[in-house]
Amino acid sequence: MARIGLGKDIHIFKKGYPFVLGGVKIRYKKGLVSYADGDCLIHSLVDAILGSLGKEDIGTLFPNNDPKYKGISSRFYLKECKKYLEESNYKISNIDIFISLEEPVLKPYILEMKKVISEDLNVEIKDISIKAGTNEKMGYIGKKKACECISVVLLEEEK
């Protein structure tokens, strides 16, 4: 038996904030605004995992009005998802993530992002795909105002 989950998240860019994506600090003139660290890649991945397990979404389980989550590293959410997976009878088969943004170029950071996800979720790097693309200068992403991530997770029942 297999289960699939889909997650999507978007955050706006603003000067004075750090740019963290996939648990990795990205060198850029702006960062992503958020109650936690603004890591929309991990936020989308967490929602995909939670959805595949039939749980509530990230905002319900980790509300942005709870002071204990203010400024927290999103890797915390991944580690919580790992616990949920360990309690279930499922394991991650593969992860597929797409990042939409105009700049900066993320290619130098992709492997490090995969390593973070691999470590936090105990998933082999070969089973994690992360791709980035532009929005061809269209919309809020094309105008360099935001970063958006979409994640898909496939779970397989453990034998």
Side-chain angles (χ1 to χ4, degrees):
M1 172 116 177
R3 297 178 66 104
I4 193 164
L6 173 68
K8 175 184 172 280
D9 195 35
I10 186 167
H11 288 279
I12 62 169
F13 280 116
K14 190 172 182 180
K15 286 185 179 180
Y17 286 83
F19 186 17
V20 179
L21 208 55
V24 177
K25 282 199 163 213
I26 309 293
R27 291 187 55 158
Y28 190 53
K29 61 189 172 194
K30 299 177 189 175
L32 298 172
V33 178
S34 177
Y35 191 74
D37 64 0
D39 191 333
C40 61
L41 186 151
I42 289 181
H43 297 174
S44 71
L45 177 54
V46 166
D47 264 342
I49 294 167
L50 294 172
S52 67
L53 291 169
K55 295 201 172 284
E56 295 175 300
D57 68 1
I58 189 172
T60 302
L61 294 175
F62 312 104
N64 67 3
N65 59 0
D66 187 331
K68 71 181 172 187
Y69 302 121
K70 177 82 172 148
I72 196 168
S73 168
S74 292
R75 292 183 74 178
F76 166 82
Y77 306 131
L78 280 183
K79 291 170 186 170
E80 290 298 301
C81 282
K82 183 179 178 186
K83 291 177 192 174
Y84 294 142
L85 285 161
E86 289 169 350
E87 294 167 0
S88 77
N89 197 33
Y90 289 90
K91 66 176 185 155
I92 294 176
S93 176
N94 75 299
I95 295 169
D96 193 17
I97 301 169
F98 189 83
I99 308 162
S100 294
L101 77 171
E102 293 297 311
E103 59 182 39
V105 173
L106 296 178
K107 189 173 184 176
Y109 302 98
I110 299 288
L111 181 57
E112 194 175 349
M113 291 178 196
K114 288 181 178 185
K115 286 178 181 177
V116 165
I117 293 165
S118 172
E119 179 182 314
D120 289 353
L121 292 174
N122 195 29
V123 176
E124 290 190 42
I125 288 177
K126 71 175 183 59
D127 296 324
I128 303 168
S129 172
I130 301 176
K131 302 163 296 293
T134 69
N135 219 37
E136 299 297 330
K137 300 183 178 155
M138 295 183 292
Y140 47 86
I141 292 170
K143 293 177 182 163
K144 305 175 189 173
K145 293 183 178 184
C147 178
E148 180 177 56
C149 295
I150 298 172
S151 296
V152 177
V153 173
L154 179 65
L155 302 184
E156 290 181 321
E157 195 168 20
E158 293 197 81
K159 299 189 179 189

